[in-house]
Amino acid sequence: MADFSVLLILVIGLALLFDFSNGWHDSANAVATVVSTRVLSPASAVLFAGVLNVFGAFMSTAVAKMVGEGIIDPAAINDVVIISALGGAIVWNFITLRMGLPSSSSHALIGAMVGAGFIHGGVEVLQGDGLMKVMEAMISSPLLGFLAAFLLMVGLSWAFFRTSRGKAMRWFRRLQLLSAGFMALSHGANDAQKAMGIITLALLSAGHIPSAEVPKWVIISCALSMGLGTALGGWKIIRTLGMRIAKLDPVHGFAAETGAGAVLMVTAHIGLPVSTTHTITSSVMGVGAVNRLSAVRWGVTRRIAYAWIFTLPGSALLAVALYLLLSAFL
């Protein structure tokens, strides 16, 4: 990094901090259900998820390429824009983490990028086609997560209708280790790439790389940052997601994690930066709704929905404020 500017080094450091906060904030996505069903202890679960997050980050770079060149034009922005976007997303993550709300780190980053890009160069800086694809995926992924988990839970209920509850519990306690691992792997495959994309955007904008291909050192550093954040865990969000939305047994956890993981793995390979938080939360709602709609604690889900609604504009405003502040001094 000898020829990197101070601002570029700051961008890289903030991107890794965002990845760390993403892992810390979103550790609940991978471990909340397996903790709430008591298949693993909290400490074992977050370490398990952290390791698999690291492996997942090496599975694809399609999302990183979309973040790097599909949301704002790399040629029309500078390091101050990227620093503002990262700062806005990080602040939003820590605000919602403190409140125990499973908001979306993906939405926070996208909103902050749009806010910082717009205040810097207007609508021309924004990539309309890429943003439209991202918004469509952000809306559809929770619906697909709900539907996949609901249908899987219905299928499992029919398949194990004649199996005793005790026997089914023993089977699914083992199977949930696989589904939790799949969820953690898919979380790393999707979410770690967002910071990779930001660093790639900064390198591309500064002329250090010729295209949006993600350098190996970027993949490794982002993978480790997210894995470390996940291993520390965000316990308030784990309690909200795993214990307060619906009462879960191992079979419910298996269905929710498998349904959400499948949606996330597909979007990671397509290259769409969707919200793992929204997808797993809607999957938990899906399995909770199989028995009866009243099994889902809708009062808690309304609080979560408010966090979803305000994340995009909230992170965008934070990024705008930070851009104006930094522009006054840089």
Side-chain angles (χ1 to χ4, degrees):
M1 294 188 185
D3 57 344
F4 286 4
S5 69
V6 173
L7 283 180
L8 182 55
I9 293 172
L10 180 58
V11 166
I12 294 169
L14 283 173
L16 296 178
L17 179 60
F18 172 78
D19 230 358
F20 176 85
S21 75
N22 192 339
W24 190 6
H25 189 276
D26 289 0
S27 60
N29 298 341
V31 305
T33 52
V34 80
V35 170
S36 68
T37 56
R38 296 179 174 83
V39 170
L40 287 176
S41 69
S44 299
V46 292
L47 287 173
F48 176 64
V51 171
L52 287 169
N53 268 187
V54 172
F55 284 109
F58 288 91
M59 296 185 67
S60 172
T61 58
V63 172
K65 291 175 184 176
M66 170 60 81
V67 173
E69 61 180 359
I71 296 172
I72 53 180
D73 183 2
I77 53 101
N78 56 27
D79 288 339
V80 175
V81 173
I82 303 173
I83 291 170
S84 302
L86 285 167
I90 291 168
V91 171
W92 187 264
N93 270 357
F94 280 111
I95 289 172
T96 52
L97 180 65
R98 180 115 181 131
M99 296 173 66
L101 293 175
S103 65
S104 169
S105 296
S106 303
H107 287 202
L109 182 60
I110 301 302
M113 289 177 69
V114 169
F118 178 78
I119 195 67
H120 173 74
V123 177
E124 293 78 10
V125 171
L126 307 180
Q127 306 278 52
D129 291 342
L131 276 172
M132 185 60 67
K133 290 178 183 177
V134 170
M135 294 303 296
E136 289 172 354
M138 284 181 173
I139 293 169
S140 63
S141 59
L143 300 176
L144 291 173
F146 183 98
L147 184 62
F150 182 90
L151 293 176
L152 182 56
M153 189 65 215
V154 170
L156 290 172
S157 298
W158 278 100
F160 290 89
F161 179 72
R162 298 185 183 277
T163 306
S164 68
R165 176 178 170 81
K167 189 174 184 180
M169 289 279 281
R170 287 194 297 274
W171 284 356
F172 281 101
R173 283 180 70 85
R174 296 186 182 97
L175 287 172
Q176 204 187 352
L177 290 174
L178 296 177
S179 63
F182 179 50
M183 181 65 205
L185 198 68
S186 62
H187 176 235
N190 198 293
D191 275 29
Q193 292 192 58
K194 290 151 193 172
M196 294 181 204
I198 284 288
I199 295 175
T200 302
L201 171 64
L203 294 172
L204 189 60
S205 176
H208 287 282
I209 55 175
S211 69
E213 292 298 321
V214 185
K216 291 291 184 190
W217 67 266
V218 174
I219 298 174
I220 294 169
S221 57
C222 289
L224 293 176
S225 294
M226 170 159 281
L228 181 60
T230 299
L232 291 178
W235 302 110
K236 282 189 177 181
I237 294 175
I238 288 173
R239 285 196 294 272
T240 299
L241 185 54
M243 303 174 192
R244 296 180 61 194
I245 293 176
K247 186 180 183 300
L248 300 178
D249 289 329
V251 63
H252 300 115
F254 173 81
E257 290 159 350
T258 303
V263 172
L264 293 172
M265 199 61 78
V266 170
T267 54
H269 283 283
I270 293 174
L272 297 174
V274 302
S275 168
T276 58
T277 305
H278 290 204
T279 306
I280 186 61
T281 303
S282 63
S283 295
V284 171
M285 293 177 189
V287 299
V290 168
N291 294 330
R292 60 190 188 282
L293 289 176
S294 61
V296 179
R297 295 172 185 135
W298 297 106
V300 176
T301 60
R302 276 196 296 272
R303 287 185 65 225
I304 294 170
Y306 292 147
W308 291 358
I309 292 168
F310 290 118
T311 291
L312 282 170
S315 59
L317 288 173
L318 285 171
V320 167
L322 190 55
Y323 176 87
L324 294 174
L325 181 64
L326 291 174
S327 296
F329 295 98
L330 297 176

